[in-house]
Structures are given as structure tokens and as C-alpha cells.
Amino acid sequence: MANSGEEKLKLYSYWRSSCAHRVRIALALKGLDYEYIPVNLLKGDQFDSDFKKINPMGTVPALVDGDVVINDSFAIIMYLDEKYPEPPLLPRDLHKRAVNYQAMSIVLSGIQPHQNLAVIRYIEEKINVEEKTAWVNNAITKGFTALEKLLVNCAGKLATGDEIYLADLFLAPQIHGAINRFQINMEPYPNLAKCYESYKELPVFQNALPEKQPDAPSSTN
């Protein structure tokens, strides 16, 4: 393991969180050992006073590396990439590097926040289930359409070639959730679907899947 001899990293995670999912992929890719500490979002563990001391925002993931505490998934991933630079999460080619940043941004700001548990709960409670579903589907469809166009000239086996890069860490959880949680049809997005099939063949992605986490309900394992 890359952090052999150092204090073990601690990851505060929830099995179904796509934000925590992308960090688990990064940790696996870097070959880092870590302690998995579950935070049950459905039971409200994120509002516990002890956890709020770690992350005042009351969200997952949170990474603790000795005295260093980082709470944002993108910040965590970039911290890991800078501390453990192999394998690199960004390609040397500047165009492909920009594509990685764009793909990350589309997922991070254009899709995931709109399907966040707190948001969809609010819509369901204030309006109805049908409107919640339409809201989520619209966000995913809009984002996937943009991603499909973005990757059309860059994709290889994966998002921007045949190596795992930043975009893949954000795409894999988003596509997995879209298919398995929101039943999105991937036929209009052949590039994304191709990437997803490649992710299924790579242990780095498979071991980070929600259903394989220690806090996942037994019915999902």
C-alpha cells in the first residue's frame, strides 16, 4: 500500500453517496489503505455533533489524514493526487486535461447536486413523487447530453483514452446511480455507455461500488 508506515487514512462515507463513491475509486487507484467509517444519511448521522466537528456542513465524504481534514470530494481527490502522484489523475495533454476538468464540473455542479438526497426529499415532500422523478431525470439527461458531446472526440476505452483519469472517477458513480437508482436509459449516450462497460471490467471501480461497501444493506450485496 502507498501509505505503508503512515497513520491509516480515515474515510467517512455512506454506501450510496456518489460523492463518497468517487473518493473510494481514487483511494483504490492510488493503492491506499484506509479505515471506512459509515455515516448513515438516512438515519441523520451527518447531523451528529461529533461528526459536525469533522464536517460542519454535515455531508460525506470526509477524509482524515493525521491532522488534515478534508470534506469536499474534489478537494479530497486532488489532495490524494498531489500527495500520491502515481498513477496521475490528469493526462499530460492539455486538451484532454481540460476535458477532464469539464467532465468533472458537469457532474459536480450540473448533475449531482440536483439529485442530492436533501434536494429530492424536499421536492417530494413539498410537491410530489412524480415531480421529484421529473426533476432528477431532467438534470441527468441534460448533463449526460453535454458529457456525450464533450467526450465524442476524446474517448478510448475510458473517458479520455485508455487510462483512468479524473473524469472517470466522476463519471463511474454518476452513471452507476443513473442506471441502478433512477433507471435512466443509456441508449442515447453510447460514449458514456462504453465507458461504463469498461468500468465493469476494472477492479478499481468494482471494489468501490455502493453495494460492496460495509454499510450497504445486505439485500444489495
Side-chain angles (χ1 to χ4, degrees), residues 148 184-191 193:
E148 184 69 19
I184 297 295
N185 176 21
M186 294 301 294
E187 188 174 350
Y189 318 110
N191 282 317

Side-chain angles (χ1 to χ4, degrees), residues 119-220:
V119 172
I120 60 177
R121 269 183 170 177
Y122 183 86
I123 294 173
E124 185 172 352
E125 290 171 0
K126 296 297 183 181
I127 308 176
N128 54 52
V129 175
E130 290 75 18
E131 187 61 31
K132 176 199 74 173
T133 302
W135 172 272
V136 172
N137 287 350
N138 178 68
I140 295 176
T141 299
K142 182 179 179 181
F144 277 13
T145 299
L147 286 165
E148 184 69 19
K149 292 180 180 179
L150 176 67
L151 301 179
V152 68
N153 293 321
C154 296
K157 293 180 180 178
L158 303 174
T160 55
D162 295 334
E163 302 296 327
I164 300 170
Y165 288 125
L166 183 68
D168 299 298
L169 274 60
F170 282 77
L171 287 177
Q174 184 60 61
I175 299 172
H176 180 83
I179 294 172
N180 294 281
R181 187 178 177 190
F182 300 113
Q183 290 75 54
I184 297 295
N185 176 21
M186 294 301 294
E187 188 174 350
Y189 318 110
N191 282 317
L192 298 184
K194 180 179 65 175
C195 289
Y196 187 61
E197 290 304 311
S198 296
Y199 300 148
K200 290 181 180 180
E201 300 175 0
L202 298 171
V204 163
F205 292 95
Q206 291 304 297
N207 293 335
L209 287 172
E211 55 268 27
K212 294 188 178 181
Q213 303 316 302
D215 57 330
S218 57
S219 59
T220 65

Side-chain angles (χ1 to χ4, degrees), residues 22 71 103 156:
R22 56 181 81 127
N71 294 310

Side-chain angles (χ1 to χ4, degrees), residues 52-64:
K52 291 293 282 287
K53 292 176 183 176
I54 296 169
N55 184 3
M57 285 293 290
T59 58
V60 294
L63 183 79
V64 177

